């Protein structure tokens, strides 16, 4: 059996488990305020990742519209902050 560091072993486990999306969502929540700013973070209610798609929930109509315009920018910022391509698409709800 090969030798892995604990970090590598956890990454391998998460890559093969159903927990991967939930863990990615937690990582994104941790960096969300830094990536998007305090105001946007304050008014976004829920972040979840399903099949490399980031679902962002907000009840503020003008913010929803602004997020729709910035989907590509958000995707680039989040992927850059996480250091890997985690998000392929974004859905604003």
């Amino acid at each position: 059996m090969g030798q892995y560091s604990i970090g590598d072993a956890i990454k391998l486990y998460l890559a093969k488990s159903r927990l991967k999306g939930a863990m990615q969502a937690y990582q994104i929540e941790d960096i969300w305020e830094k990536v998007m700013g305090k105001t946007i973070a304050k008014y976004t209610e829920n972040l979840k990742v399903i099949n490399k798609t980031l679902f962002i929930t907000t009840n503020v109509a003008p913010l929803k519209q602004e997020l729709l315009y910035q989907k590509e920018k958000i995707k680039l910022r989040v992927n850059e902050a996480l250091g890997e391509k985690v998000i392929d698409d974004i859905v604003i709800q």
Side-chain angles (χ1 to χ4, degrees):
M1 184 172 234
Q3 292 194 358
Y4 297 102
S5 70
I6 292 196
D8 290 340
I10 290 172
K11 284 180 185 178
L12 285 171
Y13 172 75
L14 289 176
K16 295 180 181 182
S17 77
R18 292 183 292 159
L19 297 173
K20 186 174 184 177
M23 293 303 294
Q24 289 171 337
Y26 285 126
Q27 288 177 316
I28 292 170
E29 285 177 6
D30 285 342
I31 63 164
W32 188 246
E33 185 177 318
K34 186 175 98 178
V35 170
M36 297 305 297
K38 287 184 180 184
T39 304
I40 290 175
K42 181 178 176 181
Y43 292 107
T44 50
E45 297 168 4
N46 191 15
L47 302 173
K48 61 184 171 183
V49 178
I50 301 173
N51 296 328
K52 292 194 166 200
T53 301
L54 175 61
F55 291 85
I56 303 169
T57 306
T58 183
N59 289 325
V60 181
L63 177 59
K64 191 179 289 189
Q65 193 66 31
E66 183 65 29
L67 292 173
L68 284 169
Y69 287 126
Q70 294 189 22
K71 283 171 61 169
E72 287 300 314
K73 194 175 190 179
I74 294 168
K75 183 169 62 172
L76 289 172
R77 284 181 172 181
V78 169
N79 286 335
E80 184 179 303
L82 293 176
E84 62 180 305
K85 188 172 182 182
V86 174
I87 304 300
D88 285 335
D89 195 18
I90 294 178
V91 175
I92 312 298
Q93 302 174 325

